[in-house]
């Protein structure tokens, strides 16, 4: 919308760079261009403001497919006014000289024109294909048909309108039909999810079985190793017992041999000692055999005296002393 300022019967207009201004005075074109700023008199001026920027027009309409199913079309058409002069002569873009507001509704007229044209071409495409095909490939087909139809529409160039782009946002069936169409897909998705779940469970069971088999194999191998260890320990124990028995036998044999040798040595020594003692005894007896009896008696008394306790005092009576002297004297005389 143009910015208009009032000053004592005069008006000053300042437009945006995206607005094309056409100023006519008494039927003659005075100003024509975008982004203009000028003074004018309201009573003698006819001013039109035509937007030249790109504009988005959202469309929503219903159609029927070849299998008599209702479908809604949501699309967007981007357009601009490429010939402001033609648009100003075909549509009412005049503005109020006091407020700068359009006197009519030119943009609504353009929207109606574009919507009706696009709807006509979309209906022509959708009426030839069934619903399933429309939902799968209909977006591209409808978009291309609308773009081609708007490009060939003669009213648009005459009005100065250029179509920049066409986009079909969605093709949607009725809610109950959409739910019915979604059911097989949902069931298939659910089946895929169940299959994936079962596969994961099967994989988990297989892994658990593999783990159990590995553990069992490990236990079996461990039992085998323990059996080998027990056998080896038994073999070692038997070998150790045999070696110990052999060592004990060797030690016993050596001890017996030593004891035999010691006994023989002791016997030999005893025989030698006995022989020596016998010889000494024989010599002793031989020596005593040659001695007088009185001497032997004296020696016997001496030996006996050696075995008696010590005598501190000895008292001899005259009778004993006389008899002893007599015996000694008799022995000497003999």
């Amino acid at each position: 919308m143009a910015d208009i300022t009032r000053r004592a019967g005069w008006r000053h207009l300042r437009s945006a760079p995206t607005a094309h201004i056409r100023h006519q005075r008494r039927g003659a074109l005075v100003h024509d261009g975008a982004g203009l700023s000028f003074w004018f008199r309201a009573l003698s001026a006819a001013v039109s403001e035509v937007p030249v920027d790109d504009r988005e027009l959202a469309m929503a309409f219903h159609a029927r497919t070849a299998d008599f199913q209702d479908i809604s079309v949501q699309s967007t058409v981007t357009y601009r006014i490429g010939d402001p002069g033609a648009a100003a002569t075909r549509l009412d873009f005049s503005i109020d000289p006091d407020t700068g507001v359009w006197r009519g509704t030119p943009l609504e007229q353009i929207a109606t024109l574009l919507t009706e044209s696009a709807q006509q071409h979309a209906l022509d495409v959708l009426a030839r294909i069934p619903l399933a095909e429309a939902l799968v490939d209909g977006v591209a087909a409808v978009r291309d048909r609308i773009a081609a139809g708007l490009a060939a529409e003669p009213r648009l160039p005459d009005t100065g309108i250029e179509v920049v782009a066409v986009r079909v946002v969605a093709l949607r069936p009725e809610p109950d039909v959409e739910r019915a169409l979604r059911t097989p897909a949902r069931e298939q998705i659910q089946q895929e999810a169940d299959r994936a779940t079962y596969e994961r469970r099967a994989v988990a069971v297989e892994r658990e079985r593999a783990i159990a088999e590995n553990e069992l194999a490990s236990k079996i191998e461990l039992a085998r190793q323990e059996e080998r260890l027990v056998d080896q320990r038994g073999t070692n124990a038997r070998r150790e017992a045999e070696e110990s028995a052999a060592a004990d036998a060797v030690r016993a044999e050596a001890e017996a041999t030593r004891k035999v040798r010691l006994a023989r040595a002791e016997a030999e020594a005893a025989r030698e000692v006995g022989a020596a003692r016998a010889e000494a005894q024989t010599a002793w007896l031989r020596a005593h055999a040659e001695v007088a009896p009185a001497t032997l008696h004296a020696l016997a008394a001496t030996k006996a005296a050696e075995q008696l306790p010590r005598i501190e005092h000895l008292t001899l009576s005259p009778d004993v002393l006389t008899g002893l002297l007599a015996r000694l004297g008799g022995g000497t005389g003999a």
Side-chain angles (χ1 to χ4, degrees):
M1 185 178 66
D3 183 12
I4 296 178
T5 305
R6 293 181 293 177
R7 292 289 186 276
W10 286 86
R11 304 289 185 269
H12 183 271
L13 181 145
R14 184 174 64 243
S15 64
T18 57
H20 187 95
I21 304 298
R22 288 176 60 88
H23 175 209
Q24 292 176 325
R25 186 174 55 203
R26 296 187 183 92
L29 186 61
V30 180
H31 297 92
D32 186 17
L36 299 180
S37 178
F38 55 87
W39 290 93
F40 67 94
R41 297 186 63 88
L43 296 178
S44 60
V47 181
S48 299
E49 181 183 16
V50 181
V52 293
D53 56 335
D54 290 352
R55 292 180 174 266
E56 302 285 341
L57 176 60
M59 303 178 185
F61 49 87
H62 291 275
R64 179 167 293 182
T65 61
D67 50 358
F68 304 102
Q69 297 295 325
D70 291 336
I71 188 172
S72 61
V73 181
Q74 297 178 3
S75 61
T76 302
V77 174
T78 303
Y79 71 94
R80 66 169 174 262
I81 299 176
D83 189 353
T89 57
R90 298 295 297 271
L91 300 174
D92 185 9
F93 281 97
S94 63
I95 61 175
D96 190 318
D98 293 330
T99 61
V101 178
W102 279 316
R103 298 179 183 273
T105 56
L107 296 183
E108 293 181 3
Q109 293 176 359
I110 294 176
T112 301
L113 174 61
L114 292 175
T115 302
E116 290 178 352
S117 299
Q119 183 175 3
Q120 179 181 358
H121 297 295
L123 293 177
D124 188 27
V125 174
L126 294 175
R128 301 174 184 275
I129 58 178
L131 177 61
E133 183 179 351
L135 295 177
V136 175
D137 301 325
V139 172
V142 172
R143 181 188 64 239
D144 296 341
R145 183 60 179 274
I146 291 176
L150 292 179
E153 181 65 35
R155 293 180 57 190
L156 297 180
D158 294 342
T159 315
I161 300 173
E162 298 178 359
V163 177
V164 177
V166 176
R167 297 186 301 276
V168 176
V169 180
L171 297 177
R172 304 191 62 177
E174 294 295 322
D176 54 346
V177 177
E178 186 174 5
R179 284 193 298 268
L181 293 175
R182 286 180 179 178
T183 300
R186 289 181 177 178
E187 291 180 353
Q188 184 177 0
I189 293 173
Q190 186 63 38
Q191 291 176 359
E192 294 294 334
D194 295 340
R195 185 180 299 107
T197 301
Y198 295 150
E199 290 178 356
R200 286 196 299 270
R201 291 179 180 177
V203 171
V205 170
E206 183 66 21
R207 290 179 179 176
E208 291 179 358
R209 185 184 64 80
I211 293 173
E213 290 180 354
N214 292 334
E215 291 179 353
L216 181 59
S218 299
K219 291 181 180 179
I220 294 174
E221 183 63 23
L222 181 60
R224 290 178 181 175
Q225 293 180 0
E226 289 180 352
E227 183 179 0
R228 294 176 184 174
L229 180 60
V230 170
D231 294 340
Q232 187 64 36
R233 286 179 177 175
T235 303
N236 294 340
R238 288 194 299 271
R239 185 178 300 172
E240 184 178 358
E242 292 174 357
E243 292 180 355
S244 179
D248 292 341
V250 172
R251 285 195 296 269
E253 184 178 357
E255 184 66 20
T257 304
R258 187 183 65 80
K259 288 183 178 180
V260 169
R261 291 178 180 177
L262 181 60
R264 289 177 180 176
E266 289 179 353
E268 185 67 25
R271 284 194 299 270
E272 292 180 358
V273 171
R277 287 180 179 178
E279 291 178 0
Q281 189 68 26
T282 301
W284 185 78
L285 290 175
R286 189 182 298 113
H288 284 74
E290 297 175 357
V291 178
T295 304
L296 293 176
H297 292 160
L299 290 174
T302 301
K303 290 293 185 180
E306 291 178 356
Q307 302 299 324
L308 294 176
R310 183 177 179 180
I311 300 174
E312 298 292 340
H313 301 285
L314 178 64
T315 303
L316 298 175
S317 63
D319 296 336
V320 176
L321 183 59
T322 300
L324 180 63
L325 292 176
R327 292 180 181 177
L328 291 174
T332 304

